[in-house]
Amino acid sequence: MRVVTVGTGMAAAEFVERLRLEGFDGEIAMVGDEDFPPYSPCVIPFYLAGEPLETVFWKGRDFYERYRVTPLLGDPVTEVDRERRLVRTRDGRSERYDRLFLAPGARNRFPEPQWTTVAGVFGFKTLSDMMAIGEYVSREKCSEAVVYGGGFIGVDAALALMKLGLSVTIVHRNTRLLSQMTDEEGGAFATRKLVEKTGMVVRLRTRVEGITAGAGRLTGVNLTDGTRLETTLLIVAVGVDPNSELLDGLESGIPCDDGMLADPDIFTAGDVARTRHAVDGAPGIYANAPNAVAQAYVAARQLVRGEGSYAGSLNSTVLRKHIDFPVISMGRFDGEALTWQRGDVWRRVYLRDGRINGYIIIGDTRMSGYLHQLYVSRQLAEREIRDLLSSPRHDGYYRRALGLAPA
Ligand SMILES: Cc1cc2nc3c(=O)[nH]c(=O)nc-3n(C[C@H](O)[C@H](O)[C@H](O)COP(=O)(O)OP(=O)(O)OC[C@H]3O[C@@H](n4cnc5c(N)ncnc54)[C@H](O)[C@@H]3O)c2cc1C
């Protein structure tokens, strides 16, 4: 049997590794648009911030040899021909498959396509992006940057650039940074603390409506509030779009069943796959590394053994990079809100019918594992959660379990 993967990202690497560990002995080809061993996008901002390149290759540089893979790199797939069971690439190659693993992830969204032709404007998505940004920063001796978009990726980008020594302004259309992974108050707290701790400048409730360039290089950005920022470096982090159009022109992700099958011969996983939420069942793209890995694992077991079922995705978001100030959230931010705050730590749990419906933990990670477990297990939590939430020692759960007095 010949297996072909579209993509060499986190889902595809996990899938291939699992195939071999499950005893799959057939031929495997991986088709990728970049020319690297599999890498983790979660780690590439650290590389930009100065960590060694080796650290991004999360399954080893020798991945293709170790798992007996034929790598077909630097040549994107442009078409999946289901009838003939082949994929076609930009450079005219045709690759036949018996089973396809379709995991091309998502691509950086640019408000205007022509922005990408201006030197100094970058997405923040791939290892190629990080290399290009790093080279540009040192060549042009950049000392400042504008990051457009203050979500998870935008903040990650801003912190990485600040680690490199640049001063950064984030332009964000919302009322607060990290607006998707926080509620209004939590996001306002995180924004205030991030500004205090790093000195980043944050321009909220405004957008970049245009860029200016001279001799093909960026000179500045114009904002919708009528002001202008002079800059030679703009990182665009206003969202991503799934690369799902490869399958029948689908625009909003590839639907699949619980065995991660999108078609009898095509598995999918990762940031392109439409799955359902493990707790509330809502369909959607739940783009994070743990979901991608779990989905790939199920797909590989299905292919080799015909067994296994995906338990659903979690919308957990953990921003814990570059500085010691984590922001963690999960679930839905509605229901009865219980809040506790002291110093740099802010915690909120949303209860619905006595169970955790969502939570936001800022400035500290120690409760998040326990909240995660309470949320996923759907245990009744209303009786203990007030005490636990307000335990400044962060060990209320363990003290209770050991029969000790609350701290
Ligand atoms: C900067 C950054 C930081 C992140 N940090 C975190 C984090 O801290 N925690 C977390 O959980 N998640 C994080 N994520 C998200 C996480 O990386 C993704 O959810 C995960 O990588 C999804 O795996 P994937 O295989 O679907 O996509 P990817 O890992 O992006 O892989 C997609 C692959 O497909 C290739 N490809 C695309 N189009 C084609 C084509 N037409 N033909 C061939 N190949 C193609 C790409 O080059 C790539 O190899 C981060 C993402 C980014 C960009």
Side-chain angles (χ1 to χ4, degrees):
M1 180 187 284
R2 184 167 205 256
V3 172
V4 173
T5 75
V6 178
T8 59
M10 293 198 81
E14 184 68 24
F15 174 75
V16 165
E17 180 177 64
R18 182 55 40 191
L19 280 187
R20 290 301 191 211
L21 292 176
E22 294 279 342
F24 178 78
D25 205 27
E27 197 185 332
I28 302 176
M30 297 181 82
V31 190
D33 60 350
E34 290 180 282
D35 193 355
F36 300 113
Y39 65 84
S40 166
C42 313
V43 183
I44 54 178
F46 293 110
Y47 162 67
L48 175 63
E51 294 295 324
L53 178 60
E54 275 327 296
T55 55
V56 309
F57 302 119
W58 65 309
K59 289 191 185 286
R61 251 195 199 273
D62 61 346
F63 182 89
Y64 300 124
E65 301 91 74
R66 192 151 34 95
Y67 294 110
R68 290 176 286 129
V69 171
T70 307
L72 304 164
L73 304 177
D75 184 15
V77 170
T78 49
E79 190 191 344
V80 175
D81 184 338
R82 293 212 251 188
E83 298 278 298
R84 295 182 181 77
R85 291 207 290 193
L86 25 105
V87 296
R88 296 193 180 84
T89 68
R90 184 197 56 199
D91 294 351
R93 193 197 299 270
S94 288
E95 290 297 326
R96 181 193 59 75
Y97 64 81
D98 297 306
R99 295 287 183 278
L100 186 69
F101 184 74
L102 191 50
R107 61 184 172 276
N108 206 77
R109 185 183 305 148
F110 289 89
E112 304 284 343
Q114 62 270 26
W115 287 15
T116 58
T117 63
V118 175
V121 180
F122 300 92
F124 203 78
K125 185 74 186 73
T126 63
L127 183 53
S128 306
D129 289 337
M130 302 302 140
M131 289 174 162
I133 295 167
E135 276 162 26
Y136 181 85
V137 165
S138 44
R139 192 177 63 240
E140 300 293 328
K141 302 190 174 37
C142 299
S143 58
E144 51 64 44
V146 172
V147 174
Y148 181 26
F152 179 95
I153 299 290
V155 171
D156 193 349
L159 294 173
L161 290 170
M162 294 187 87
K163 199 103 195 174
L164 262 188
L166 279 71
S167 52
V168 176
T169 302
I170 301 185
V171 176
H172 189 50
R173 65 176 181 174
N174 214 301
T175 52
R176 59 193 191 276
L177 296 179
L178 304 173
S179 32
Q180 279 185 22
M181 63 178 288
T182 61
D183 61 6
E184 192 68 48
E185 258 189 272
F189 182 85
T191 305
R192 210 166 49 244
K193 290 288 171 189
L194 281 167
V195 168
E196 269 172 37
K197 286 175 181 296
T198 66
M200 62 172 61
V201 176
V202 178
R203 301 283 299 269
L204 296 170
R205 300 183 186 83
T206 188
R207 285 178 283 119
V208 175
E209 67 176 357
I211 63 173
T212 55
R217 200 191 71 160
L218 184 75
T219 53
V221 300
N222 296 324
L223 308 187
T224 47
D225 66 6
T227 60
R228 172 177 169 77
L229 300 170
E230 305 290 334
T231 185
T232 54
L233 175 58
L234 172 67
I235 306 292
V236 180
V238 293
V240 296
D241 295 307
N243 290 318
S244 48
E245 56 292 310
L246 285 176
L247 196 67
D248 303 337
L250 291 167
E251 282 180 1
S252 49
I254 299 176
C256 57
D257 66 13
D258 288 347
M260 302 313 299
L261 275 168
D263 160 294
D265 304 315
I266 303 179
F267 292 92
T268 189
D271 291 2
V272 78
R274 279 186 79 78
T275 58
R276 54 183 182 76
H277 194 274
V279 171
D280 61 29
I285 295 182
Y286 296 98
N288 64 40
N291 291 334
V293 165
Q295 292 159 9
Y297 185 100
V298 170
R301 280 181 64 86
Q302 274 290 339
L303 192 151
V304 177
R305 297 174 188 266
E307 61 184 42
S309 174
Y310 184 52
S313 297
L314 290 170
N315 61 332
S316 55
T317 320
V318 181
L319 179 67
R320 192 173 41 201
K321 299 189 188 181
H322 314 294
I323 59 168
D324 186 17
F325 183 69
V327 183
I328 299 174
S329 71
M330 169 92 97
R332 314 290 174 199
F333 307 143
D334 70 272
E336 184 194 355
L338 308 175
T339 312
W340 185 86
Q341 191 259 314
R342 188 168 299 180
D344 281 355
V345 180
W346 189 97
R347 305 169 178 156
R348 177 169 286 173
V349 169
Y350 283 94
L351 286 181
R352 192 166 274 285
D353 303 324
R355 295 179 171 80
I356 294 181
N357 197 37
Y359 60 84
I360 305 165
I361 303 287
I362 300 172
D364 177 53
T365 56
R366 280 171 289 182
M367 272 199 83
S368 59
Y370 182 56
L371 291 178
H372 179 107
Q373 187 243 323
L374 276 180
Y375 172 71
V376 173
S377 67
R378 311 310 300 138
Q379 282 175 60
L380 282 172
E382 64 188 334
R383 283 208 354 228
E384 72 219 55
I385 201 66
R386 284 181 174 78
D387 285 349
L388 296 183
L389 203 64
S390 59
S391 164
R393 289 169 48 136
H394 317 280
D395 58 359
Y397 164 69
Y398 301 101
R399 294 183 71 80
R400 217 171 131 267
L402 293 167
L404 301 171

